[in-house]
Amino acid sequence: MKVVAVEEHLSTEAFLRVAHGLAVAAGDETEVGLMRRVETLPALRTRLTDLDLRLRDMDALGQDVAVLSLNPPGVQPYPGPDAVPLAVQFNDALAAIVRRRPDRFGGLATVAPQDPSAAAAEIERAVGPLGLHGVMINSHTGGRYLDEPGFAPLLASAEANRAPIYLHPRAPGSSEGYRDHGLSGAIWGYQAEAGLHAMRLILSGTLDRFPELTVVLGHLGEGIPYWLRRIDNRHAFAARTAGAATPMPRLSLTPSEYFRRNFVITTSGIDDPDVVELALRTVGEDRIMFAIDTPYEDPAAALTFLRDTPLTEDQRSAISHRTAERVFGIGQGVSSKPDEQRGQGDSAGPADAPDPVDGTRLPP
């Protein structure tokens, strides 16, 4: 079984040295402080930065490809003049990694939505000259969401360049109700925030303006598949009610039709056969991709789940690699060599070629 995992985080020592010295936007201090502590822990820092170790782990588990993305929340908490060049530098480093081992790695660019025009240009560069496979955006930026008109250049570039946007969770930006009991993080706040962002894109009419846009959601849809029937029902009711509390744009489709047309979901962090069964009934296997969420989830448990959960072989094939190959345009050249041959040198250059941004060694 070919295995492509599509939410696999990394960083570089060069990025961390710069990012940990930057000022942080008001409201993002707690989240960034927590992530900086995580990135300083030796074991997690190694798992984020050591790609030789990553390849050894992938080989041991039988994982063919990792689609790499910058550790969240990326560059979004930083001032635009700092975030824009930092994104460019990181994308250069990521592209070098992918060029070095295209049989083992794909890449999702990072951008700075703080400057939508610069983000639009960077998306075009990333999926064009750099050869990356999409973009990851960590939900809100300074409490602002992609349905707002100011972000139209970014969405237009993603649509025009056929760059899927992986809408990754981050801590909610403003609600006091999330501040206590650990609720702002992965226990609840992350999925609630990403689900809110996705629903804003749907209900705002944004996907009528950008009908070819592809948005990827982790955690098997951030809860939305569970609610889709009620969302359709209540949206229709609200649209019929002249006294609706909040004015709503007129939509061309039902909310569930946008979800099935424009969204693809991944298994990251949800190793639950019952939820997968619901997702299959909701969107079908051709809109579900396998993801681990390295280094925050257990890769061995995720791979065991992929292999053992009750699926037809066609469903397993779609989830394990086929959907990712189609959505991100990767995996067609995935190595079919025996496991013992993986990780050996290839023709991309000398095994000790330096990373042009970080100065560290790329994996052989």
Side-chain angles (χ1 to χ4, degrees):
M1 179 178 63
K2 187 188 300 183
V3 177
V4 178
V6 299
E7 188 188 320
E8 315 309 309
H9 303 300
L10 86 159
S11 193
T12 68
E13 291 293 344
F15 178 89
L16 294 174
R17 283 194 299 271
V18 174
H20 283 207
L22 294 178
V24 178
D28 289 342
E29 298 92 345
T30 299
E31 180 183 17
V32 173
L34 172 61
M35 190 54 69
R36 286 177 175 176
R37 288 196 295 275
V38 166
E39 292 168 339
T40 304
L41 296 172
L44 273 168
R45 192 179 185 109
T46 297
R47 292 187 71 195
L48 284 168
T49 60
D50 188 338
L51 290 175
D52 286 317
L53 175 62
R54 181 82 59 117
L55 282 172
R56 291 195 297 271
D57 288 345
M58 289 167 59
D59 289 345
L61 294 168
Q63 177 189 342
D64 295 276
V65 175
V67 180
L68 302 172
S69 53
L70 178 60
N71 199 42
V75 302
Q76 288 168 241
Y78 305 125
D82 297 317
V84 170
L86 188 57
V88 169
Q89 292 163 13
F90 175 79
N91 292 337
D92 286 342
L94 178 58
I97 292 167
V98 174
R99 284 196 302 268
R100 176 70 179 160
R101 291 307 306 265
D103 59 328
R104 307 308 302 277
F105 294 128
L108 302 181
T110 193
V111 297
Q114 304 93 306
D115 186 333
S117 295
E122 185 61 8
I123 290 171
E124 182 175 4
R125 187 181 81 98
V127 300
L130 291 188
L132 298 176
H133 302 97
V135 59
M136 178 169 282
I137 295 178
N138 297 282
S139 197
H140 71 88
T141 303
R144 298 179 59 203
Y145 296 89
L146 293 175
D147 61 283
E148 298 179 30
F151 294 111
L154 186 162
L155 297 182
S157 180
E159 182 182 53
N161 291 285
R162 299 187 177 277
I165 293 176
Y166 201 124
L167 195 62
H168 188 275
R170 63 176 300 193
S174 58
S175 176
E176 291 287 338
Y178 291 97
R179 296 189 185 278
D180 300 325
H181 318 307
L183 283 166
S184 67
I187 296 171
W188 187 255
Y190 283 6
Q191 55 264 39
E193 166 62 32
L196 168 66
H197 202 149
M199 289 305 303
R200 289 182 64 105
L201 290 172
I202 291 170
L203 296 184
S204 63
T206 298
L207 299 177
D208 283 334
R209 295 188 290 278
F210 302 102
E212 301 299 320
L213 186 67
T214 296
V215 181
V216 181
L217 291 177
H219 311 113
L220 284 172
E222 310 293 6
I224 294 175
Y226 184 90
W227 292 99
L228 265 184
R229 183 170 296 188
R230 176 171 173 79
I231 290 167
D232 276 354
N233 177 279
R234 291 298 86 192
H235 181 267
F237 176 82
R240 293 193 305 266
T241 304
T246 303
M248 300 188 307
R250 184 180 296 276
L251 302 180
S252 300
L253 304 174
T254 65
S256 66
E257 287 172 327
Y258 292 108
F259 192 78
R260 292 184 173 97
R261 185 189 74 180
N262 292 92
F263 287 81
V264 183
I265 64 179
T266 84
T267 64
S268 60
I270 306 288
D271 298 341
D272 186 330
D274 293 330
V275 183
V276 169
E277 182 181 355
L278 171 64
L280 286 166
R281 292 201 308 268
T282 303
V283 299
E285 65 266 25
D286 289 332
R287 288 195 170 269
I288 305 175
M289 299 184 283
F290 176 67
I292 299 171
D293 197 8
T294 303
Y296 302 107
E297 298 286 350
D298 180 356
L303 267 293
T304 298
F305 169 75
L306 176 64
R307 293 189 173 100
D308 293 350
T309 198
L311 297 169
T312 69
E313 286 311 301
D314 189 60
Q315 289 170 338
R316 204 179 314 275
S317 174
I319 294 170
S320 69
H321 68 93
R322 200 174 65 220
T323 303
E325 290 172 346
R326 185 190 78 250
V327 171
F328 290 121
I330 60 168
Q332 305 303 327
V334 170
S335 173
S336 59
K337 295 180 290 185
D339 287 348
E340 62 268 19
Q341 295 183 25
R342 288 177 178 156
Q344 296 182 3
D346 55 31
S347 60
D352 60 350
D355 181 321
V357 174
D358 198 19
T360 56
R361 299 298 181 187
L362 296 174

